[in-house]
Amino acid sequence: MRFIKQHISIIFPLVAILLGLEFFIVFDRATKNYEESLRDGYAMLVVAKDEMSIDDFKAWDSHVYRVAEIEKESIVSRVDTTLNKDKVTTIHERMPNFYSIKLDSYLDDEGLEGVKQNFLKSDKVARVETFDTVHRSNYGLFSFIKFSFQTFIIFMSMLGFFLIIKQMEVWNYLHADRMKVMNIFGASLFLRSKVLINLAFIDAIISAMLASAIFYIIQNSWVRGSNIAILKDNIDKLFSAYDIFSLIMASIAIAMVAVFLVVINVKEE
Amino acid sequence: MSNIILARNLSLTYDNEEKIISDATFSVRKGEFVFITGPSGSGKSTLLKSFYGNLKPVEGKLIMGGLDMLTITKPKLQELRTHLGIVFQDYRLINEWTVERNVVLPLWIAGYSKEVQATQAKRLLHHVKLSGKEHKYPLELSGGEQQRVGVARALAKNPFLILADEPTGNLDEYSSNVIWDLLENACQQLDTTVVVVTHRIPTIFNIPYKHLQIDSKGKVHEVH
């Protein structure tokens, strides 16, 4: 019982931290993809008096990523198809130029307004349409989900860290006497901490495996059966073999830092 | 005979406050048995701690086995400690380890093979009359037996110096005599230098010894 308790008390907080870390990685990956699709699906409309190039737009605002000119013919043909050729030519000459502007990232309202104002500073730009109502509703939902998840992840990791600090106190209580005796007999830092290193190493591997198993189950049972588009669209990117390696490395690193802090805090009497 | 311990105008203090040992000059030669006595709080244990580098001198010189304890580096101190045998009043055994594992601790630290450790453990436990208790844990033994494990541990690597801090302080007369016999034998048969801090020199002691006395002001006097 004592043996199980000894292991569980480090495995539990480590798994909590690793889940937090992996959730962060997975969520970051999934939202990045979603953010990219939102960004690609969004464009501003700029009405300019003269013909403009991408360099002109980039000079006004660095967020400009791609510029596409909207053909005047297609606009006119949508308005009226019965016009004769001369009238169409006249309209073409008098019409301003229309540009669809894609941005390099998914900006919030303030960011969009900033880009708009930068364009309007130029005399050549007559009007800018940001379609901010649609943008705002997409962005608001997306930001809320992101914020909620990040708060949960931070809370979970903090809880894990507090539990690890508690466990370090327990380790100190359990192992300090032995380490002090070994120090008196000339044992090196490594030998003094060997028992603790072995214990922490095994628990770190178990924790990483548990966290990986949880994510494997989430990916292959829960997400596949769910209707959450943002997750389903990115199912293969949710969890990979590389993540298992990352979790093992992170787990070992956290456990070893904890061991090191315990060992260096054991002072001679 | 060469000096194992050499103190010249040695002063010791905790946190640079009042001096506990003041201006002490003495030497301990190879193969000597030395008793350090003095009233409670006179600094006997403090002096012993300085011998294994637990406390650095604030003034004067302390040379242990040719090493200056004021300037000694951590690796050198570790190395020095592997050649010392230390016995404590409260035994300081590792309670979650078996008697056998406790006894061979210095050999394990020095990297000896498991076979050597097992052979030496058997020999030492026979020497301290604890054969058959190899697999017991310290808390399953009496105080006298635990201290015999402590002495066996101190002898494990044939140290050039044994330091004992009140080794019989917690023991009855019978167990105390057993411990004194073991320390006498180590000095006489193995030519090991033994320094013992004690309140009282045992009445029956069979080998010549040096007596250093510390007075209440922390001065060290050589009685004989």
Side-chain angles (χ1 to χ4, degrees):
Chain A
M1 191 64 196
R2 195 182 145 205
F3 176 81
I4 294 171
K5 215 171 147 188
Q6 205 177 10
H7 285 275
I8 291 287
S9 49
I10 183 69
I11 288 173
F12 181 72
L14 265 179
V15 169
I17 293 173
L18 294 179
L19 286 180
L21 177 75
E22 187 57 24
F23 266 121
F24 183 82
I25 294 170
V26 166
F27 192 71
D28 192 55
R29 227 179 261 158
T31 54
K32 215 170 246 174
N33 255 37
Y34 184 67
E35 205 169 324
E36 273 169 21
S37 70
L38 283 181
R39 186 200 66 196
D40 293 344
Y42 173 79
M44 275 181 165
L45 182 72
V46 174
V47 183
K49 291 165 196 163
D50 301 333
E51 277 199 13
M52 315 293 300
S53 72
I54 186 165
D55 294 331
D56 296 324
F57 285 106
K58 276 193 171 175
W60 293 329
D61 196 286
S62 57
H63 283 297
V64 173
Y65 171 64
R66 206 183 305 148
V67 176
E69 189 175 357
I70 301 168
E71 295 297 322
K72 290 177 183 174
E73 282 86 358
S74 67
I75 298 169
V76 175
S77 63
R78 271 189 226 163
V79 178
D80 196 340
T81 50
T82 58
L83 293 172
N84 65 40
K85 214 174 178 182
D86 292 342
K87 278 187 177 170
V88 169
T89 312
T90 315
I91 290 171
H92 274 196
E93 280 166 5
R94 292 189 179 175
M95 255 178 97
N97 299 290
F98 295 87
Y99 295 95
S100 167
I101 312 283
K102 289 202 181 281
L103 304 178
D104 62 351
S105 56
Y106 201 67
L107 301 176
D108 58 8
D109 281 357
E110 221 169 280
L112 284 183
E113 190 55 31
V115 176
K116 182 179 175 178
Q117 292 309 321
N118 283 341
F119 288 163
L120 289 173
K121 277 179 196 164
S122 165
D123 299 338
K124 295 172 183 172
V125 174
R127 198 175 162 172
V128 179
E129 182 53 68
T130 57
F131 307 107
D132 55 348
T133 318
V134 183
H135 182 277
R136 197 179 299 137
S137 84
N138 281 342
Y139 191 84
L141 181 66
F142 175 70
S143 301
F144 176 72
I145 295 170
K146 203 170 177 176
F147 174 75
S148 310
F149 222 82
Q150 279 171 347
T151 309
F152 168 70
I153 288 165
I154 289 167
F155 177 75
M156 219 164 115
S157 304
M158 273 170 62
L159 183 78
F161 272 111
F162 281 124
L163 287 172
I164 289 221
I165 289 168
K166 205 79 211 143
Q167 183 57 26
M168 282 163 65
E169 284 172 16
V170 175
W171 274 348
N172 193 292
Y173 173 74
L174 289 174
H175 299 273
D177 283 345
R178 187 191 62 247
M179 288 193 268
K180 281 176 192 169
V181 170
M182 290 169 85
N183 191 21
I184 288 170
F185 283 89
S188 64
L189 187 76
F190 174 71
L191 275 183
R192 292 201 301 270
S193 46
K194 202 177 169 188
V195 175
L196 207 47
I197 288 175
N198 289 345
L199 180 86
F201 186 80
I202 292 166
D203 289 350
I205 299 286
I206 294 171
S207 305
M209 289 302 163
L210 277 176
S212 301
I214 290 169
F215 265 89
Y216 184 80
I217 292 166
I218 289 175
Q219 183 189 33
N220 289 290
S221 315
W222 188 71
V223 173
R224 273 188 213 282
S226 78
N227 288 316
I228 305 169
I230 185 173
L231 294 177
K232 261 192 136 176
D233 294 345
N234 298 295
I235 192 155
D236 295 327
K237 288 176 186 163
L238 278 189
F239 189 64
S240 62
Y242 175 76
D243 288 8
I244 300 175
F245 176 75
S246 306
L247 286 177
I248 291 173
M249 287 297 129
S251 186
I252 291 173
I254 295 166
M256 290 306 137
V257 168
V259 168
F260 182 70
L261 290 175
V262 170
V263 175
I264 60 162
N265 276 313
V266 174
K267 302 278 181 230
E268 273 191 281
E269 282 163 4
Chain B
M1 281 200 293
S2 59
N3 283 323
I4 294 292
I5 303 174
L6 181 66
R8 287 270 172 271
N9 309 109
L10 173 70
S11 294
L12 299 170
T13 175
Y14 289 108
D15 306 324
N16 285 323
E17 286 172 4
E18 195 186 345
K19 281 177 190 167
I20 295 167
I21 296 294
S22 178
D23 203 24
T25 297
F26 60 89
S27 64
V28 174
R29 290 177 177 279
K30 188 178 177 347
E32 267 187 327
F33 199 110
V34 181
F35 282 110
I36 300 174
T37 64
S40 292
S42 57
K44 303 185 292 289
S45 296
T46 303
L47 183 59
L48 201 81
K49 278 181 178 179
S50 72
F51 295 161
Y52 60 87
N54 195 293
L55 195 65
K56 280 199 170 186
V58 282
E59 278 172 24
K61 251 194 176 343
L62 177 63
I63 308 291
M64 295 289 303
L67 296 167
D68 187 340
M69 298 303 278
L70 185 65
T71 56
I72 193 166
T73 59
K74 269 200 168 175
K76 280 275 174 206
L77 180 62
Q78 257 176 17
E79 168 74 14
L80 172 70
R81 284 177 176 184
T82 61
H83 297 292
L84 301 178
I86 307 173
V87 182
F88 299 95
Q89 182 177 3
D90 56 357
Y91 327 127
R92 299 242 185 133
L93 300 175
I94 298 171
N95 291 329
E96 62 270 27
W97 285 8
T98 61
V99 163
E100 184 182 30
R101 211 169 157 200
N102 267 287
V103 167
V104 297
L105 173 69
L107 300 174
W108 179 70
I109 290 170
Y112 283 85
S113 69
K114 282 196 173 164
E115 289 75 26
V116 172
Q117 289 180 34
T119 312
Q120 188 75 336
K122 207 171 173 188
R123 193 183 67 75
L124 286 161
L125 287 171
H126 176 73
H127 181 64
V128 299
K129 298 183 176 58
L130 284 174
S131 293
K133 304 218 169 176
E134 293 87 344
H135 304 299
K136 295 238 178 231
Y137 287 88
L139 295 178
E140 294 173 329
L141 305 179
S142 69
E145 287 174 326
Q146 286 189 55
Q147 193 58 298
R148 276 188 270 159
V149 175
V151 173
R153 180 179 64 184
L155 293 169
K157 215 179 140 247
N158 295 326
F160 72 91
L161 172 65
I162 292 178
L163 302 169
D165 190 3
E166 304 269 12
T168 60
N170 288 341
L171 305 180
D172 59 28
E173 199 183 339
Y174 171 77
S175 299
S176 299
N177 289 337
V178 173
I179 298 300
W180 291 130
D181 279 346
L182 288 168
L183 292 175
E184 266 183 39
N185 287 342
C187 183
Q188 215 169 21
Q189 292 169 11
L190 305 170
D191 202 27
T192 307
T193 310
V194 181
V195 177
V196 180
V197 161
T198 183
H199 263 95
R200 204 161 38 87
I201 296 172
T203 43
I204 307 162
F205 202 71
N206 304 315
I207 59 168
Y209 61 87
K210 180 186 263 187
H211 180 192
L212 298 175
Q213 194 171 39
I214 306 176
D215 65 23
S216 55
K217 288 173 185 163
K219 298 272 182 197
V220 179
H221 308 278
E222 192 169 327
V223 180
H224 67 83

